[in-house]
Amino acid sequence: MDAETAAALRAPFSDELVGKRPQPTCPNCKNSPSKACDQHPKARCGECGQWMTTAHTHLDFVGHADTTDRFLSVDPDWSWEPVERQVDPQVLAAAVASGNPDVVKAVLDSSPPKFDANGGFWIRLTICGVTRLGYGDAGGKKGANAVKEAIGDALRNAGMRFGVALDMWRKESPDSEARQAPARQRTDRTWMADVQRRILVAESDQELLALSNEVDAKVHAGACGQAQYEQLRALGRNREAQLAAAATPPPDVRVPEPASPSAASDTGSEADPVTQFEAAIAAAETPEELGQVKAKVMADFKAQKFDPTVGNRLLREIKTRQTAIEADAA
């Protein structure tokens, strides 16, 4: 990234693009379900227009759309991706076993972001070939709007690391006198060597998840730099792929015939493979029969006979049918 582009990203926003975000200052108001306490009733604020506790201040902010416009103005091809994705381990295992990197990439790219226990997630923002981390959360919101809020928050947070609206992030409130520079990330070398070793010998996805949370905590604490963070993430992904490949079942198991094949013959042609799988899942009466169907689904997926979205749906149908069979047997 050249100096001109960096300066364009850091350019101040015009006044009409800067909004006012209300921030409660009373602890009792913050902790109250109604976001107001007995001493501070809610009222319409003449500055920000919000209906909220009278004990609040205002923080300057730039919205999602204007932040995106700034990115586009310097790099029309800018992009972002979540650091963690909610990947179906069975689909990933089948993709890895296929030996085709494009299939593995398709599975990863089609998986949604993975939210952490705080309701947020990390992203990688890439502008003009430079990638930096950011974190966003939904601020307690729920549903589809929460996802959009978390994405916008993450983009603003990552954009700040490129200098976008940096002046607004420098202070905790408009009347703060001291401006604190962000803590420098210095990796703990002893911890780094130890966590690398533990990733390499991890025996389950649960172990890897715990290690991932530990790494995130180190990043928050300023004890893990971005370069080292990327190294650990790559190491964790490789180990996850190894475990998934080792757990892949044998592909040469025959699928039971659908219970009512006449439905296909009535149309004068055979049903497509996906329809046959769906019929076989519905016809399965025992866990063993369902296991055979599952093994064949994964074998066909490895052979690239259908895309990851279809494979994922079939596996969900198998799980639903398995739950029903177990319930009937109980």
Side-chain angles (χ1 to χ4, degrees):
M1 180 180 296
D2 58 31
E4 183 179 353
T5 300
L9 285 168
R10 296 193 62 166
F13 285 85
S14 57
D15 292 342
E16 64 269 19
L17 299 181
V18 178
K20 296 291 184 182
R21 186 190 302 277
Q23 185 76 21
T25 56
C26 170
N28 293 331
C29 291
K30 290 181 181 179
N31 298 326
S32 170
S34 64
K35 301 303 178 183
C37 69
D38 294 339
Q39 287 73 35
H40 304 111
K42 285 188 174 181
R44 181 73 63 186
C45 176
E47 185 173 356
C48 67
Q50 297 294 314
W51 177 262
M52 63 181 306
T53 172
T54 54
H56 72 273
T57 186
H58 297 97
L59 302 179
D60 291 341
F61 81 103
V62 176
H64 184 183
D66 294 314
T67 301
T68 300
D69 183 66
R70 176 61 59 86
F71 297 164
L72 288 169
S73 69
V74 300
D75 180 10
D77 296 322
W78 73 275
S79 64
W80 74 273
E81 63 174 349
V83 170
E84 291 273 2
R85 291 183 182 271
Q86 189 69 43
V87 184
D88 188 308
Q90 295 175 323
V91 175
L92 179 61
V96 172
S98 73
N100 189 329
D102 292 334
V103 175
V104 175
K105 186 177 186 302
V107 169
L108 295 176
D109 290 347
S110 64
S111 300
K114 182 177 182 180
F115 284 78
D116 60 22
N118 298 317
F121 58 88
W122 286 89
I123 71 167
R124 294 186 186 92
L125 174 63
T126 301
I127 302 176
C128 296
V130 178
T131 301
R132 290 171 184 164
L133 293 172
Y135 181 84
D137 66 73
K141 293 183 179 180
K142 303 294 182 182
N145 286 334
V147 177
K148 292 185 287 186
E149 180 71 21
I151 292 173
D153 191 43
L155 289 175
R156 288 191 293 269
N157 182 265
M160 177 267 294
R161 304 179 195 284
F162 286 89
V164 177
L166 183 59
D167 289 342
M168 299 178 195
W169 288 86
R170 275 184 172 150
K171 46 190 178 180
E172 295 181 358
S173 65
D175 55 354
S176 296
E177 295 181 359
R179 293 183 176 182
Q180 299 178 351
R184 184 177 179 183
Q185 301 288 85
R186 295 180 178 176
T187 304
D188 183 329
R189 294 186 178 181
T190 301
W191 168 83
M192 180 73 175
D194 179 63
V195 79
Q196 285 176 319
R197 177 190 60 78
R198 285 185 284 152
I199 290 174
L200 290 172
V201 299
E203 294 296 336
S204 67
D205 290 339
Q206 288 74 20
E207 287 184 59
L208 290 175
L209 178 59
L211 288 167
S212 176
N213 291 336
E214 179 180 335
V215 172
D216 286 346
K218 285 288 185 180
V219 173
H220 281 295
C224 180
Q226 181 169 332
Q228 290 73 30
Y229 174 81
E230 295 292 344
Q231 292 175 14
L232 293 175
R233 287 297 308 132
L235 197 64
R237 286 183 182 275
N238 288 339
R239 185 56 182 162
E240 183 179 17
Q242 291 172 357
L243 293 175
T248 303
D252 55 348
V253 182
R254 186 178 63 85
V255 178
E257 292 296 327
S260 303
S262 58
S265 60
D266 289 344
T267 64
S269 61
E270 294 185 358
D272 65 89
V274 175
T275 302
Q276 291 180 357
F277 276 127
E278 291 173 339
I281 293 169
E285 297 292 340
T286 66
E288 291 75 18
E289 291 179 0
L290 205 56
Q292 291 179 338
V293 178
K294 181 177 178 180
K296 188 62 170 64
V297 167
M298 296 185 71
D300 280 9
F301 175 72
K302 286 186 289 185
Q304 303 178 46
K305 294 184 178 180
F306 43 75
D307 62 41
T309 301
V310 173
N312 209 3
R313 176 169 60 80
L314 290 173
L315 288 173
R316 288 197 300 270
E317 291 182 11
I318 289 172
K319 187 173 183 179
T320 300
R321 180 58 183 159
Q322 180 180 359
T323 301
I325 291 175
E326 292 173 350
D328 291 342

